Amino acid sequence: MKNALELIKTEIRDLLPYKVDDTCCAIKLDANENPYPLPDDLKDKVSKALNEVSLNRYPDPYAGELKGLISRWLSVPEEFLMLGNGSDELIQAILIATSWGSPTVVVPSPTFSMYKITGLAVGHRIVEIPLDESFDIDPAAIIDACRKERAKVVFLSTPNNPTGNRFSDDKVLEVVKGAQALVVIDEAYGDFSGKTLVPYLKENMNLIILRTLSKIGLAGLRVGIMAANPDLLNELDKVRLPYNINSLSQAVAAVVLNNMDAIDGQIGAITSERQRLYRALKGLDGVTPYPSDANFILFKVRDADDLHKRLVENGILIRNLNRPGRLENCMRVTIGNPEENHAFLVAMKKLLS
Ligand code: PMP
């Protein structure tokens, strides 16, 4: 075999991988995780549930109990739900199922990079439509691009990662109604905005809503949620790998969903810290934070590369998004617990003075 790499398709060889920063820092505010562990009484319940899992058996292939609990939590009938190994896997399922003909995906820019990476990997062309000056979408431009490119899918992350804002509901619904494409509303950060477009599912056959347990405290479980009309869901479910939600994740998620008060309290703490952190960032010379409905804040500085390096030296890891265009000198900080946020602000003041 002369060059095994030639067997890999060009689109994949050309891809820039999704990079996860594994720099080790005492304060980790780079990955939009919930900073709070589960309370001790809930950890005890989790241990008990894990003890009862039969590891010699395959998981429940339909994750029936978990789906029932999610159905109640989101007020979505069970037949509207499909679960994934993180919402990343559901994004992949949508893109695989629509990768026929000359497939195209429309995404706003900037947005979550996995739409583009997975889209390219499975053979889609990607059309990017810039967000406006308030990081909101341009529905007419998106609908127009869908028509011209015969796009099969539009991804709208709302609240949007990395900008943090929710797009206007009216504009999102205009796209749902006007685009001849599947419109995926990714509400990965919806729990921090207190808003959802779930009520619009029933009347819109092309609407898909994604949620995740990752951002609200269970990133280690890898449980993503897709809600859509049952006929569409049945087709997408054919792409799902058997037993994609492992038994341990099913058991732990069920315990937590039966005790959501604890998580709701943590979400409340995160959103009030968000307000405090936003105001504090606004007060710093040379820092422009953008309003956020998520569990992170995007902000612009004079020299993001240098600041990122110096924050790491001070034991604080945030996300450096600096690249030409809208994100030039932009950084994203995840809302941590009060002590972490304090340490971040103290370091920012020191490094920017
Ligand atoms: N959608 C958005 C907008 C995200 O930011 C992320 C996480 N970075 C995901 C989906 C994937 O989340 P998960 O696979 O952990 O459910």
Side-chain angles (χ1 to χ4, degrees):
M1 179 86 227
K2 257 201 289 186
N3 189 355
L5 297 186
E6 279 175 9
L7 299 174
I8 305 293
K9 72 176 176 182
T10 326
E11 289 84 348
I12 292 183
R13 279 195 283 160
D14 289 347
L15 271 183
L16 292 176
Y18 182 82
K19 276 229 188 85
V20 179
D21 193 341
D22 59 357
T23 311
C24 207
C25 280
I27 297 182
K28 191 176 177 313
L29 300 174
D30 67 315
N32 300 342
E33 296 148 331
N34 174 346
Y36 300 103
L38 290 178
D40 286 342
D41 60 326
L42 212 46
K43 277 190 180 164
D44 290 343
K45 287 183 186 164
V46 164
S47 301
K48 242 175 108 196
L50 286 175
N51 260 328
E52 283 161 21
V53 174
S54 303
L55 290 174
N56 55 320
R57 302 289 176 199
Y58 278 108
D60 171 354
Y62 307 107
E65 185 196 355
L66 182 53
K67 247 193 224 171
L69 290 165
I70 290 172
S71 161
R72 256 186 285 156
W73 175 48
L74 297 181
S75 307
V76 174
E78 237 176 285
E79 64 273 24
F80 277 65
L81 294 174
M82 168 174 154
L83 306 186
N85 187 354
S87 41
D88 282 334
E89 191 190 36
L90 299 167
I91 293 166
Q92 186 186 50
I94 295 164
L95 288 164
I96 290 173
T98 51
S99 63
W100 60 276
S102 48
T104 303
V105 172
V106 175
V107 291
S109 172
T111 193
F112 180 44
S113 58
M114 285 308 291
Y115 309 139
K116 186 171 173 179
I117 294 173
T118 311
L120 289 170
V122 304
H124 285 265
R125 251 170 25 87
I126 312 292
V127 175
E128 298 182 271
I129 307 290
L131 293 173
D132 70 15
E133 64 288 343
S134 359
F135 291 135
D136 206 351
I137 54 168
D138 177 345
I142 292 174
I143 293 168
D144 209 37
C146 285
R147 193 174 33 80
K148 279 199 194 117
E149 310 285 343
R150 295 172 174 238
K152 298 204 172 68
V153 194
V154 179
F155 281 97
L156 300 175
S157 157
T158 180
N160 186 40
N161 179 11
T163 56
N165 58 303
R166 270 187 106 243
F167 301 139
S168 324
D169 284 347
D170 288 353
K171 293 184 178 178
V172 171
L173 290 169
E174 198 179 325
V175 175
V176 173
K177 305 271 181 214
Q180 300 298 309
L182 297 181
V183 180
V184 184
I185 308 297
D186 186 345
E187 294 185 344
Y189 302 97
D191 299 277
F192 305 98
S193 74
K195 291 186 183 147
T196 176
L197 291 179
V198 158
Y200 294 92
L201 272 175
K202 282 203 177 132
E203 66 198 62
N204 293 287
M205 183 68 193
N206 63 331
L207 174 59
I208 296 175
I209 295 192
L210 298 181
R211 302 282 291 249
T212 181
L213 300 187
S214 297
K215 314 298 173 186
I216 59 172
L218 300 173
L221 293 188
R222 310 303 294 127
V223 175
I225 302 156
M226 168 151 67
N229 272 272
D231 289 343
L232 177 63
L233 208 67
N234 286 340
E235 297 308 323
L236 295 171
D237 196 51
K238 294 176 187 170
V239 178
R240 186 176 62 84
L241 295 179
Y243 312 114
N244 62 332
I245 312 295
N246 73 70
S247 312
L248 303 176
S249 294
Q250 290 192 32
V252 178
V255 171
V256 177
L257 281 156
N258 273 316
N259 294 273
M260 281 303 271
D261 287 358
I263 299 288
D264 291 342
Q266 295 178 350
I267 293 172
I270 291 165
T271 50
S272 68
E273 274 295 292
R274 175 178 74 201
Q275 222 175 339
R276 192 177 75 84
L277 198 58
Y278 177 78
R279 278 203 221 107
L281 285 171
K282 218 167 175 184
L284 292 180
D285 193 31
V287 180
T288 310
Y290 298 96
S292 170
D293 301 300
N295 65 341
F296 58 84
I297 295 175
L298 181 80
F299 61 93
K300 200 178 181 79
V301 292
R302 290 193 193 102
D303 186 346
D305 293 348
D306 179 62
L307 182 59
H308 184 261
K309 199 177 96 218
R310 294 201 289 147
L311 281 168
V312 169
E313 285 163 7
N314 280 263
I316 297 171
L317 184 64
I318 68 168
R319 187 84 189 259
N320 181 10
L321 296 164
N322 183 26
R323 69 193 72 144
R326 293 298 296 279
L327 294 178
E328 187 149 29
N329 282 316
C330 282
M331 312 179 88
R332 190 193 70 193
V333 61
T334 302
I335 314 298
N337 65 34
E339 296 74 39
E340 291 169 327
N341 299 333
H342 177 72
F344 165 67
L345 286 169
V346 168
M348 287 285 284
K349 272 181 208 150
K350 183 178 93 177
L351 299 175
L352 291 169
S353 62

